[in-house]
């Protein structure tokens, strides 16, 4: 994220501890923000604010910066809890917070960071922003529930439509729709309702791109473990597509591994499955699906932005979205 | 909690699920609120609103009801996460949420309920209330961190002052100080600063009373397992006092059990320790400490309320606090 967002986020967090153990707690709150995410969502928000006529350095820009800070804090508390829920090993190239401090302390730190997110929303003072954050959290939690419930129930007989519903809930709102809408609100404008359809398509495109990168990304660029989704038993469009064409033998081996908890999974067999997925046409299928969604989403976004006050900034926003859809990390 | 608070809480939560698995998620959100807590904190808030001149049925009373609803939602999301952090078995006489649905889904449901709490705060529309909830969550999370960190580090060489600092952070703000302050804010009045000192004393009194009840309460009335604090390895004033006087042999047995995770603890040995604690003077010591804190806190509260607009309601508030300090469940 931008240094000016990190600065704002850290300015909300406590520093002077009245007890030595609290110093560790305060460091836990700062840990994920300092690791530095890519800031995709806050950049979208700021680009949307620009397209809606908010000039850098104005009072409205300051409000947009606080909303962007809140979005980054959202991302950070959610990742702390996600990493526990998925039992992820790494985040942004370092051990996940609960692997450093245990599950109990990490849940608690995530809860506190959640509250600091609301402090940033409050600080922005933008009418309607609170409702956006509430809706975003509710949709994201619904999508997260579906995703986790399938892992818990060892449910693999899913249709692509199930996966796409999960993604639209879990990813589209917080990654695209709400950042676009918050940019309008920061400008004091009502968000164009077409952002929703654009964001649903783009959210699917971004998530599927992420699923693809998780299998064939460059470990030096991609902040998470390559193949981590397999170890965590995540449903992806790639896997659901592959399950339809895989041999009975490969399918049995896959399901057997997926029914094991992460520590019990066999690394060599997971590596085999990883190769089967790469060798099948399913990665290409998912990438083509993502490309089509990205194309449709960009067209919808261009329509939604056609009356935006700053057309130069609107074109930059569309360009940024286009880059995201084909990102390598 | 009062039916009118439960109604308001449930009115914020989703019901119509677009996916069968989401129906289960919605039921998880309603589960703890429906089990019905004692509503201690919301009653304090409403009693404080009354003392500050808010009459039942007025617009200010409606605002107080929404703040009280938010406080109940706070209690519920925090308990979902606490029960995971402590690996508690029961809550309000039924299995803890994570024991019914697993840790991952329960963390997620707690996060969503946290956001619904903010919806209730927002709905109340009381200036200054958001800051109160932010401060409350921050202090509570700091106290929770201390409590959990001591469990994680197997730290038993604590002074009473450490325990009391933890309690003032973890309990006093959300149980007493913030409910009292919110009652004033609902009336449109600035909270009396003396509520803080009163609440710190009363918070300690209530928490120590709870620690005492956890050891000698009536299982039919007390919603949690009797002796659960020992199984969870919680620090209490009782245990810290007892450790100073226990024989080397008993102390060794105690520390050996406390260094084991909950599933590895020996039930018969824990029952022995439970009896040693009851037979020692430490329960009486802690109860006497709690009684002194309650007495001091009530005196401070009476001072803070001496200019409150409704003195009849103020006297009822003090009476309710007095009852809480000597509660049996």
């Amino acid at each position: 994220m931008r240094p000016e967002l990190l600065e704002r986020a850290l300015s909300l967090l406590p520093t002077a501890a009245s007890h030595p153990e609290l110093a560790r707690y305060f460091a836990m709150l700062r840990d994920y923000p300092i690791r530095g995410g890519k800031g995709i969502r806050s950049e979208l928000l700021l680009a949307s604010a620009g397209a809606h006529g908010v000039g850098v350095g104005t009072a409205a820009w300051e409000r947009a910066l606080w909303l962007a800070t809140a979005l980054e804090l959202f991302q950070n508390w959610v990742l702390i809890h996600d990493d526990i829920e998925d039992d992820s090993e790494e985040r942004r190239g370092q051990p996940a917070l609960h692997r450093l401090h245990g599950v109990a302390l990490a849940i608690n730190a995530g809860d506190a960071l959640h509250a600091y997110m609301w402090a940033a929303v409050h600080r922005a003072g933008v009418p309607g922003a609170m409702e956006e954050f509430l809706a975003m959290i509710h949709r994201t939690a619904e999508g997260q529930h579906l995703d986790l419930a399938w892992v818990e129930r060892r449910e693999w007989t899913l249709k692509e439509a199930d996966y796409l519903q999960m993604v639209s809930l879990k990813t589209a709102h917080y990654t695209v729709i709400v950042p676009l809408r918050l940019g309008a609100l920061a400008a004091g404008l009502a968000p164009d309702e077409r952002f929703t359809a654009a964001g649903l398509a783009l959210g699917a495109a971004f998530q599927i791109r992420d699923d693809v990168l998780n299998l064939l990304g460059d470990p030096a660029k991609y902040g998470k473990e390559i193949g981590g989704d397999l170890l965590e038993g995540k449903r992806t469009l790639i896997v659901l597509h592959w399950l339809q064409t895989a041999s009975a033998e490969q399918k049995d081996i896959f399901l057997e591994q997926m029914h094991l908890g992460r520590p019990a999974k066999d690394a060599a067999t997971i590596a085999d499955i990883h190769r089967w997925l790469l060798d099948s046409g399913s990665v290409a299928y998912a990438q083509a699906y993502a490309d089509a969604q990205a194309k449709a989403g960009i067209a919808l976004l261009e329509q939604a932005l056609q009356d935006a006050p700053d057309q130069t900034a609107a074109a930059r926003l569309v360009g940024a979205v286009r880059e995201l859809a084909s990102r390598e990390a």
Side-chain angles (χ1 to χ4, degrees), chain A:
Chain A
M1 75 178 105
R2 298 185 181 205
E4 58 205 303
L5 301 185
L6 180 58
E7 251 169 54
R8 279 173 178 74
L10 296 180
S11 77
L12 296 171
L13 303 182
T15 47
S18 58
H19 190 288
E21 182 56 50
L22 288 179
R24 172 189 179 198
Y25 165 66
F26 295 168
M28 288 177 71
L29 297 179
R30 291 191 299 272
D31 187 343
Y32 273 25
I34 285 174
R35 293 188 191 185
K38 291 185 282 287
I40 290 174
R41 294 158 187 91
S42 52
E43 287 304 320
L44 269 190
L45 187 159
L46 293 171
S48 170
H52 288 89
V54 175
V56 173
T58 60
W61 183 252
E62 186 61 25
R63 290 195 287 274
L65 287 174
W66 276 107
L67 291 179
T69 301
L71 212 49
E72 289 294 330
L73 285 169
F74 171 76
Q75 167 84 346
N76 280 285
W77 76 255
V78 164
L79 288 178
I80 293 174
H81 284 184
D82 268 15
D83 287 345
I84 301 169
E85 289 159 7
D86 298 338
D87 198 15
S88 299
E89 283 192 0
E90 292 181 25
R91 174 61 60 187
R92 298 174 182 158
Q94 292 175 50
L97 199 66
H98 69 289
R99 292 192 175 248
L100 295 171
H101 302 277
V103 166
L105 291 175
I107 292 175
N108 186 57
D111 287 338
L113 215 55
H114 181 167
Y116 285 106
M117 175 203 81
W118 288 107
V121 175
H122 188 51
R123 184 72 168 263
V126 171
M130 185 158 192
E131 288 83 349
E132 295 296 323
F133 276 84
L134 287 171
M136 175 176 75
I137 297 172
H138 297 329
R139 294 300 83 70
T140 307
E142 286 166 8
Q144 179 72 350
H145 177 91
L146 288 182
D147 201 10
L148 294 171
W150 294 335
V151 173
E152 182 228 13
R153 288 181 4 220
R154 298 173 180 183
E155 176 67 83
W156 285 97
T157 56
L158 294 166
K159 297 196 173 58
E160 290 188 6
D162 294 307
Y163 171 82
L164 293 168
Q165 184 187 5
M166 183 273 283
V167 166
S168 84
L169 288 166
K170 183 175 159 170
T171 304
H173 289 270
Y174 102 92
T175 303
V176 193
I177 299 171
V178 171
L180 291 173
R181 290 174 61 87
L182 288 171
L185 291 173
L189 298 171
D192 193 295
E193 288 305 326
R194 290 170 292 185
F195 286 150
T196 303
L200 289 172
L202 291 167
F206 293 168
Q207 181 61 54
I208 295 167
R209 179 72 190 149
D210 198 59
D211 296 344
V212 168
L213 288 174
N214 194 281
L215 288 174
L216 50 71
D218 176 350
K221 294 186 201 164
Y222 190 72
K224 293 183 283 186
E225 306 161 87
I226 299 301
D229 285 351
L230 284 177
L231 290 165
E232 292 165 14
K234 305 311 282 276
R235 280 74 188 145
T236 63
L237 194 63
I238 305 161
V239 165
L240 295 180
H241 183 265
W242 173 76
L243 280 171
Q244 292 166 17
T245 58
S247 70
E249 191 199 356
Q250 286 188 345
K251 209 168 151 177
D252 284 349
I253 292 170
F254 173 86
L255 290 174
E256 193 188 354
Q257 285 296 314
M258 292 302 125
H259 287 192
L260 298 170
R262 179 181 175 131
K265 286 193 172 76
D266 178 61
T269 312
I270 293 292
D272 285 344
I273 294 168
H274 194 156
R275 209 175 47 250
W276 297 339
L277 287 169
L278 293 179
D279 292 348
S280 75
S282 297
V283 175
Y285 168 82
Q287 186 58 59
Y289 187 93
D291 290 342
Q293 289 289 308
K295 197 176 164 191
I298 286 168
L300 288 162
L301 180 62
E302 284 174 329
Q303 282 170 32
L305 288 168
Q306 65 194 5
D307 299 324
D310 185 336
Q311 284 298 312
T312 312
R316 270 201 306 272
L317 167 56
V318 173
V321 164
R322 209 184 297 273
E323 258 182 54
L324 275 176
S326 57
R327 73 190 192 282
E328 296 295 329

